Amino acid sequence: MDMTPRQIVEYLDDYIIGQNNAKKTIAIALRNRYRRMRVDPKLQEEIMPKNILMIGSTGVGKTEIARRMAKMMGLPFVKVEASKYTEVGFVGRDVESMVRDLVYEGISLVTKEYEEKIKDKIDEEVTKKIVEKLVPPLPESASDSAKESFIKTYNLMEKKLLSGELDDKKIEIEVPKKAHVEIIDSSIPFDMSSMQESLNKMLGSLNKEKIKKEVSIKDAKVLLRGVASEGLLDTEAIKIEALKRCENGGIIFIDEIDKIATSKKNNGQDPSKEGVQRDLLPIVEGSSVQTKFGQIKTDHILFIAAGAFHVSKPSDLIPELQGRFPLRVELESLDEDALYKILTNTKNSLLRQYKALLAVEDVELEFDNEAIKAFAKYSVMANEKTEDIGARRLHTVIEKVIEDISFDADINKGSKVVVTEELVSSKLEKIVDSVDTTRYIL
C-alpha cells in the first residue's frame, strides 16, 4: 500500500486513458488511507475517509479506475448496483448486505495470502499423503534391508509424483465428509446466518466420518490440498485480519447511484428510492454491521459512488447523503483520439486480446494503423447517433469487423490476416450511416 499518488496515477495510466482528475482524486484518497494508519492512534479514529462521487456516462472508465486501484493495492473491494437494493420492508436485498459482501471478499483475499505463506507446508503434506498411498509404510519388525529398499522406493515414487509422471494413475483417498451445507449469500438476514452457522457446527461435531474416493493423482492433489490447507490454516487469525483490513482498507463501489435519486419534478417515481437512500445513510456515515465472521464498523470504509446522472442530478439525492460524498469528480466523454489510444496504448488492449485468441488457431492477426483509427472514428459516430456508451462501443465495432475472420480461422490456419481501413469501412460504413441500423446492429 506504500505507493505515492503519482505512482498510483502512473499505474492507472497503463489501463485507463485520460480521466486525469478522477485518477488524481482517487490516488489522494488512497494515499490518505496509508497516511491515516501512520498517525497517532488517538487521531486515527477522528480521520474519516473522504468518499467520492464520480459523475460520467457509461463506458468512460468509472468502474475500471476503482477496480484496478483495489487490485493493485490488494484491498478488499466490492462493486454493487444501487438499483438492486430496496427499502426495509420491501422484498429485495437490504443495504447491509454490501458490507457482508465486502467481508466475504476480505476473507477470500486474506485466505489466499495465508495459503501462499504456507504453500510449501501444504505441498509437503499432500505429497506425503499420496506417496504413502502408493508405498504403504513397513511394519516396525521389518528387516534393515527391507527398510533400505523401502526408502529407495519411497524416494523414487516421490520424484515421479513431483515430476507429474503419475498424474493419470488412480488411487483411493479419504476425505472428510461434508456434513454441512454452506450458503454463501450475503442477503440472508444475520439471524438466519447465525442459525446456519450453529447448525453446521452441530452437524460437524456429530459427523466426523471420512469417505473414500477413487480419483486420479492429479485430482487427488487438488482434493488433498483443500484438506491440508483447512488443517494448517489458522481460521481465527484469518477472520481477525480480514475484518481489520475491511474496516481500515475496504472499498465499496456503489454503481448507478443516480437510479435511486428522486427528481422533485417527477412525482410518480418509486417511493422506495428515497427509502434506499435513508437506509444507505447510516452505512456510509458509520455504523456496526453484524456478519457471520463478527461485527464490522463501517466508519473508515471508503465509499465510491458513480452514476451517469442523465435524468437526475446529484442534488436530487437527499442532502444528508450528498454531504457524505464531499469529493465530486466529473469524467469526460471519450473522443476519437481517446478511443484510438485505448486500442493502442493500454495494457491488454482489445486488439491484443483478439490477436492472442486467433493465435490459438495459428492465425496471425494484424491491424493497420489506419484501420485502428477507423475503429475509433466509427465508434464515435455510432455513439453520437445513438446512446453514448463510451469505450464499450469498441467491443461491438471490432467484433462486427472480424466476425468472418474469426469464423474462417480454420481455413486461414498458418496464414497472416491483415485488417485494413478498407475492410473496416466496407463492414461498418453503411451500418453507421443509417441511424436505425446503428441502433439495432451496433
Side-chain angles (χ1 to χ4, degrees):
M1 215 171 151
D2 188 10
M3 286 177 81
T4 64
R6 198 177 302 279
Q7 287 171 329
I8 294 169
V9 170
E10 283 171 6
Y11 172 84
L12 292 173
D13 282 342
D14 287 338
Y15 299 95
I16 299 122
I17 297 298
Q19 314 302 2
N20 293 323
N21 288 339
K23 289 176 188 171
K24 194 175 173 182
T25 303
I26 283 189
I28 293 167
L30 209 59
R31 183 63 179 178
N32 280 339
R33 298 179 81 77
Y34 170 81
R35 290 165 180 162
R36 175 182 162 264
M37 298 309 290
R38 298 292 178 277
V39 302
D40 185 85
K42 288 180 183 176
L43 192 58
Q44 267 184 33
E45 287 301 308
E46 300 299 320
I47 300 172
M48 295 298 171
K50 306 294 184 289
N51 297 322
I52 302 163
L53 180 62
M54 298 168 83
I55 303 159
S57 304
T58 182
V60 295
K62 300 188 298 291
T63 311
E64 190 65 10
I65 289 172
R67 193 173 65 83
R68 289 285 173 191
M69 173 191 71
K71 194 175 180 182
M72 164 189 66
M73 305 302 270
L75 298 170
F77 171 83
V78 287
K79 175 186 176 285
V80 296
E81 312 289 328
S83 52
K84 74 179 177 184
Y85 295 102
T86 57
E87 186 181 356
V88 172
F90 286 73
V91 174
R93 287 170 69 92
D94 69 295
V95 292
E96 285 189 356
S97 65
M98 67 174 72
V99 182
R100 292 194 281 270
D101 285 338
L102 184 72
V103 174
Y104 278 121
E105 195 60 38
I107 292 284
S108 173
L109 192 73
V110 175
T111 302
K112 281 176 188 169
E113 285 178 15
Y114 274 55
E115 279 179 349
E116 197 59 37
K117 284 178 189 175
I118 59 165
K119 185 176 177 288
D120 293 340
K121 282 186 181 177
I122 293 171
D123 288 342
E124 279 174 28
E125 187 71 21
V126 171
T127 304
K128 185 185 169 188
K129 284 191 175 180
I130 293 173
V131 175
E132 280 178 359
K133 286 286 175 187
L134 295 168
V135 188
L138 289 173
E140 288 182 16
S141 57
S143 64
D144 290 343
S145 60
K147 284 177 182 176
E148 206 172 299
S149 174
F150 169 79
I151 291 165
K152 281 182 183 176
T153 311
Y154 188 96
N155 291 338
L156 181 67
M157 280 297 182
E158 190 176 42
K159 192 179 177 182
K160 283 186 175 181
L161 177 68
L162 294 171
S163 68
E165 282 181 56
L166 306 172
D167 278 359
D168 296 327
K169 187 177 171 66
K170 295 270 186 183
I171 58 163
E172 192 178 75
I173 59 166
E174 287 185 343
V175 289
K177 189 175 180 181
K178 293 277 181 185
H180 63 278
V181 179
E182 190 72 46
I183 305 168
I184 305 296
D185 185 2
S186 57
S187 64
I188 63 172
F190 175 70
D191 293 344
M192 196 175 287
S193 178
S194 301
M195 195 188 301
Q196 177 196 313
E197 190 73 8
S198 303
L199 192 62
N200 286 344
K201 282 179 182 174
M202 186 181 74
L203 288 171
S205 61
L206 288 173
N207 195 348
K208 291 183 179 178
E209 66 180 276
K210 292 185 177 183
I211 52 169
K212 290 182 178 181
K213 284 187 177 182
E214 190 176 314
V215 290
S216 66
I217 285 179
K218 191 176 182 179
D219 292 336
K221 286 177 184 175
V222 178
L223 289 167
L224 292 172
R225 174 173 281 277
V227 176
S229 63
E230 269 182 38
L232 292 168
L233 287 173
D234 185 346
T235 52
E236 205 54 44
I238 289 171
K239 278 184 192 178
I240 293 165
E241 176 59 28
L243 288 171
K244 184 183 169 186
R245 204 174 293 187
C246 288
E247 283 184 345
N248 294 304
I251 300 168
I252 295 180
F253 185 88
I254 307 170
D255 205 1
E256 296 186 351
I257 192 86
D258 55 318
K259 303 293 187 293
I260 59 166
T262 51
S263 174
K264 291 173 180 65
K265 292 177 187 175
N266 192 347
N267 297 320
Q269 291 223 338
D270 185 354
S272 73
K273 286 183 178 180
E274 192 171 317
V276 174
Q277 292 183 58
R278 296 205 177 278
D279 289 346
L280 198 56
L281 192 60
I283 304 287
V284 179
E285 278 183 335
S287 59
S288 294
V289 176
Q290 284 287 355
T291 74
K292 66 177 283 187
F293 301 104
Q295 197 176 67
I296 178 171
K297 287 183 177 180
T298 66
D299 302 58
H300 299 287
I301 291 172
L302 177 66
F303 289 88
I304 302 172
F309 289 99
H310 289 315
V311 179
S312 54
K313 306 182 295 295
S315 57
D316 290 330
L317 294 167
I318 59 172
E320 299 94 324
L321 195 59
Q322 287 181 52
R324 287 293 162 184
F325 290 90
L327 304 182
R328 293 192 186 180
V329 187
E330 200 159 336
L331 285 85
E332 309 101 27
S333 291
L334 301 172
D335 58 13
E336 200 173 311
D337 184 49
L339 291 176
Y340 172 77
K341 284 179 180 175
I342 285 169
L343 290 174
T344 54
N345 293 6
T346 55
K347 275 189 182 180
N348 311 320
S349 70
L350 272 177
L351 301 186
R352 281 184 194 167
Q353 290 173 32
Y354 279 111
K355 284 180 186 178
L357 286 170
L358 284 172
V360 174
E361 306 276 5
D362 197 20
V363 175
E364 189 185 344
L365 186 65
E366 282 295 324
F367 295 92
D368 271 358
N369 193 48
E370 292 304 312
I372 299 170
K373 286 180 179 176
F375 282 138
K377 181 182 83 175
Y378 286 117
S379 295
V380 168
M381 285 169 69
N383 279 341
E384 285 171 354
K385 291 192 175 186
T386 58
E387 291 77 18
D388 185 356
I389 60 169
R392 290 193 177 97
R393 185 74 67 185
L394 290 169
H395 290 268
T396 320
V397 166
I398 296 170
E399 190 62 48
K400 193 71 193 166
V401 171
I402 71 159
E403 191 174 39
D404 291 337
I405 298 169
S406 189
F407 185 81
D408 295 330
D410 57 327
I411 299 170
N412 298 320
K413 197 169 187 176
S415 62
K416 182 177 180 178
V417 178
V418 180
V419 176
T420 61
E421 186 186 7
E422 291 74 29
L423 177 64
V424 176
S425 297
S426 67
K427 293 278 185 183
L428 298 173
E429 199 165 22
K430 288 180 182 176
I431 297 171
V432 174
D433 281 347
S434 166
V435 175
D436 289 335
T437 50
T438 304
R439 193 179 298 279
Y440 290 106
I441 296 172
L442 293 182

